[in-house]
């Protein structure tokens, strides 16, 4: 299974991020290219830097079971999956700058793991679970724009 902690996987994701076109259109969802990039940058900062968002109630109930389903195989994340409110982006900005920020954060996974990370839906996660989910999250949004 692919993990963001694997160098070849990080290189693949970074190459796909570099292919993102400023004028790309989403295959599904309502995000613009900038909004997707900013969302992914904030997501990576949450994972790496321990930015903890409030756990959602349904996550307390079903998060662990759902996580086991997500990380058990190579199936991509499903389209139009919900996001926490804090990671929903509505503004616009510089696509090139946002791409570089995301690339820097993806590369940072090669240097460290945040053992204190608590996902707002899935809860506390192991290094293996975090690595798989981080890859699947990046892949999900790059598929959204067909990269």
């Amino acid at each position: 299974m692919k993990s963001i902690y694997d160098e070849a996987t990080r290189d693949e994701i970074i190459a796909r991020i570099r292919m993102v076109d400023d004028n790309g259109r989403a295959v599904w969802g309502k995000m613009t290219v900038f909004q997707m990039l900013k969302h992914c940058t904030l997501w990576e900062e949450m994972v790496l830097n321990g930015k903890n968002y409030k756990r959602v109630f349904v996550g307390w109930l079903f998060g662990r079971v759902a996580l086991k389903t997500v990380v058990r195989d190579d199936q991509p994340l499903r389209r139009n999956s919900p996001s926490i409110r804090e990671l929903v982006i509505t503004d616009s900005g510089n696509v090139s700058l946002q791409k570089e920020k995301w690339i820097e954060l993806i590369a940072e996974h090669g240097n460290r793991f945040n053992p204190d990370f608590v996902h707002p839906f899935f809860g506390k996660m192991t290094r293996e679970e975090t690595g798989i989910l981080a890859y699947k999250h990046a892949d999900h949004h790059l598929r959204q724009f067909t990269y």
Side-chain angles (χ1 to χ4, degrees), residues 74-128:
D74 288 326
Q75 282 290 103
L77 297 177
R78 55 187 179 88
R79 293 179 175 191
N80 298 310
S81 299
S83 183
I84 62 167
R85 184 174 8 112
E86 293 87 350
L87 299 185
V88 173
I89 310 303
T90 57
D91 57 344
S92 59
N94 185 313
V95 168
S96 296
L97 184 70
Q98 208 60 51
K99 280 170 46 173
E100 290 308 312
K101 282 184 179 180
W102 190 17
I103 288 168
E104 287 174 18
L105 291 166
I106 292 293
E108 197 172 323
H109 283 291
N111 301 322
R112 65 188 176 101
F113 161 67
N114 176 10
D116 299 322
F117 170 58
V118 178
H119 189 278
F121 181 78
F122 298 122
K124 186 100 169 112
M125 297 171 60
T126 66
R127 183 179 194 277
E128 181 182 19

